[in-house]
Amino acid sequence: MEIRVYRAPRIEADIRVPGDKSISHRSALLAALSDGTCRLRNYLRGEDCLGTLRVLRQLGVVIEEESDGTFMVHGCAGRFVATEADLDCGNSGTTMRLMSGLLAAQPFHSRLTGDDSLSRRPMRRVMEPLGLMGAKLRTEGHGDCPPLVIEGSASLQGIEYRLPVASAQVKSCVLLAGLLARGKTTVMQPVTTRDHTERMLEYFGVPVEREGERISVMGGHLPQARDFQVPGDISSAAFWLVAAAAQPGANIVVREVGLNPTRIGLLGILLRMGARLREEEHSKGPGEPIGKIEIIGARLRGTLIGGKEIPNVIDEIPVLAVAGALASGTTTICDAGELRVKESDRLAVVAHHLTAMGAEVTENPDGLVIHGGRPLRGARLSSHGDHRIAMAFAIAGLFAEGETVIEDAECVETSYPGFVEQLRRITNG
């Protein structure tokens, strides 16, 4: 599949985006652990999140789909059924890392596999804390990469664990294992990361202690069965927000989107760059603030993106780099070395693609320096199998002379089914 994009004369729309990817994964896992039936509404139907449901079904969890797209998950009260088959996580690092926390506490052998991209993503960060809790894990790929083999233990022991690098996935993995372990499990994070797991645990009736950057759970507290509404994904909204922000006079309204404080760093960055925006919270939802964002385009200026804000905008860095290329002055992205072990080496790919489109970019070990304001030209670009690369450069194509073609773009289905149709509606009025 290819995405073909041309310069957009005017960007204007009032839209909703699909359910939040991170929250969808977690809602399925907590519902599966629960003591009854949970209805999950607005669950993201992207390939990654559907993959989580497939893995849970392999482990004996009964999941039904209703006519309106709601998924009914019949919880197993923390006890999965062993399977001899591989558990295929597809392209989803979230599925593999979070499932490893639950499988570490099961008294059986599991083997987690993934596609070529996931098979190049290291798993050492989850293997270390789960090993300290009493599980045995090993990888069969090169350099701590999948397949990931887990010899679980029904007698995991709670631990105190300090994350060496800020990671919401590793934090969540350890906390989920802690629910099925003996005693107290505490995770200490170097900086605040997205807190969906903590919020959702509390919503599902699990006591969570929070003290600064220390988060703790006690073993034996299983989630209570509750229905859950997944808010719209602000990481999906980011593509449209950047498009509108970079075109003077453009206007985008995104409704029913999640406004979790650990996920809206993008908005602060766009404000620094000169965009005009307004956010309005309507409800707390099921533990998550939900509301509306309106953004009006302006002439953007470069900014520094780094430090403590990086963990909470890590998914938005590719499209923020596009914003930097469209802004006047210099945009510097630093402390983002984590992007080298995502679905692709996002720093290298972003630098290459922006350069191919005529931007001036310097690639550093942990980031990029983008000298903005140069005219962009259309180019033929590979997605490298990375959904966020494909979508970010589709947005870049809206500002380029000539045609921009994104090759191998079927990967956008992992997180944003309907992206191409939405792109056409926004640019065609």
Side-chain angles (χ1 to χ4, degrees):
M1 172 181 140
E2 293 181 343
I3 301 175
R4 295 177 178 273
V5 190
Y6 302 89
R7 181 185 290 277
R10 179 164 173 78
I11 296 169
E12 185 170 17
D14 190 321
I15 63 173
R16 287 173 170 79
V17 292
D20 188 284
K21 185 167 177 268
S22 296
I23 295 174
S24 292
H25 283 299
R26 288 161 171 79
S27 69
L29 297 178
L30 291 176
L33 279 182
S34 76
D35 56 3
T37 300
C38 306
R39 283 180 170 80
L40 307 182
R41 298 185 175 88
N42 199 39
Y43 187 90
L44 177 63
R45 299 188 63 82
E47 282 301 311
D48 281 7
C49 293
L50 293 177
T52 292
L53 298 183
R54 285 194 295 271
V55 168
L56 290 171
R57 284 177 170 131
Q58 281 185 265
L59 293 166
V61 181
V62 176
I63 302 173
E64 303 167 296
E65 185 175 1
E66 299 184 329
S67 59
D68 64 353
T70 296
F71 287 100
M72 283 187 21
V73 181
H74 301 275
C76 64
R79 294 184 294 274
F80 295 124
V81 177
T83 176
E84 292 299 317
D86 287 347
L87 301 170
D88 184 1
C89 301
N91 187 246
S92 177
T94 304
T95 302
M96 184 171 286
R97 292 190 177 105
L98 269 59
M99 280 302 314
S100 67
L102 298 182
L103 291 170
Q106 304 297 317
F108 54 75
H109 165 101
S110 304
R111 186 172 185 266
L112 296 163
T113 63
D115 66 7
D116 288 345
S117 173
L118 182 54
S119 297
R120 295 192 297 271
R121 300 176 68 179
M123 293 294 137
R124 172 57 53 186
R125 289 181 188 172
V126 296
M127 294 169 66
E128 179 179 286
L130 295 177
L132 293 172
M133 297 177 82
K136 296 179 181 178
L137 300 92
R138 61 184 171 85
T139 55
E140 296 178 347
H142 176 71
D144 296 326
C145 292
L148 176 62
V149 179
I150 301 172
E151 301 292 344
S153 169
S155 57
L156 287 191
Q157 184 64 45
I159 59 170
E160 278 205 3
Y161 185 71
R162 183 177 297 278
L163 296 176
V165 177
S167 169
Q169 288 184 5
V170 178
K171 173 182 68 175
S172 298
C173 167
V174 177
L175 292 176
L176 290 174
L179 297 182
L180 303 174
R182 297 175 181 172
K184 188 175 187 178
T185 295
T186 299
V187 178
M188 295 163 282
Q189 50 186 356
V191 298
T192 302
T193 61
R194 56 183 63 178
D195 66 352
H196 301 307
T197 298
E198 300 95 297
R199 287 173 178 263
M200 294 172 70
L201 283 171
E202 290 170 336
Y203 174 78
F204 280 96
V206 176
V208 179
E209 294 179 20
R210 300 201 223 186
E211 184 181 350
E213 299 301 343
R214 295 171 59 92
I215 304 105
S216 304
V217 295
M218 288 295 297
H221 288 285
L222 289 177
Q224 300 166 16
R226 298 192 68 179
D227 295 345
F228 189 85
Q229 175 85 20
V230 179
D233 194 330
I234 193 165
S235 292
S236 295
F239 300 103
W240 316 123
L241 296 174
V242 166
Q247 186 186 73
N251 180 241
I252 288 280
V253 177
V254 185
R255 300 183 186 275
E256 302 301 320
V257 68
L259 295 176
N260 184 303
T262 65
R263 291 287 297 282
I264 58 175
L266 167 87
L267 302 184
I269 291 168
L270 290 179
L271 281 171
R272 290 204 308 265
M273 297 181 79
R276 293 177 289 162
L277 66 85
R278 181 167 61 94
E279 59 178 294
E280 182 179 323
E281 184 178 310
H282 298 313
S283 71
K284 288 293 183 186
E288 293 280 345
I290 299 172
K292 176 181 78 171
I293 302 170
E294 180 176 10
I295 192 158
I296 298 171
R299 296 193 181 280
L300 299 184
R301 56 184 176 269
T303 190
L304 171 64
I305 305 170
K308 291 184 177 181
E309 69 184 341
I310 287 292
N312 295 320
V313 295
I314 197 72
D315 289 337
E316 291 80 59
I317 292 295
V319 77
L320 282 168
V322 171
L326 298 171
S328 63
T330 300
T331 293
T332 300
I333 299 168
C334 56
D335 306 311
E338 175 76 10
L339 289 173
R340 294 203 181 275
V341 290
K342 293 290 187 179
E343 285 84 339
S344 67
D345 180 340
R346 287 181 177 164
L347 293 178
V349 174
V350 167
H352 174 273
H353 285 7
L354 284 178
T355 300
M357 296 185 77
E360 184 182 348
V361 183
T362 301
E363 180 185 347
N364 294 325
D366 70 341
L368 304 167
V369 179
I370 305 160
H371 302 284
R374 296 182 61 169
L376 297 186
R377 57 178 180 267
R380 179 171 284 271
L381 306 168
S382 171
S383 73
H384 289 265
D386 189 329
H387 54 123
R388 299 201 190 277
I389 292 293
M391 291 185 281
F393 283 92
I395 298 305
L398 299 178
F399 297 86
E401 286 298 328
E403 181 184 60
T404 299
V405 180
I406 313 299
E407 300 174 337
D408 303 318
E410 55 276 357
C411 56
V412 300
E413 294 296 311
T414 64
S415 68
Y416 199 150
F419 172 82
V420 175
E421 291 77 10
Q422 186 70 75
L423 180 68
R424 290 180 183 136
R425 284 197 295 271
I426 282 176
T427 56
N428 295 331

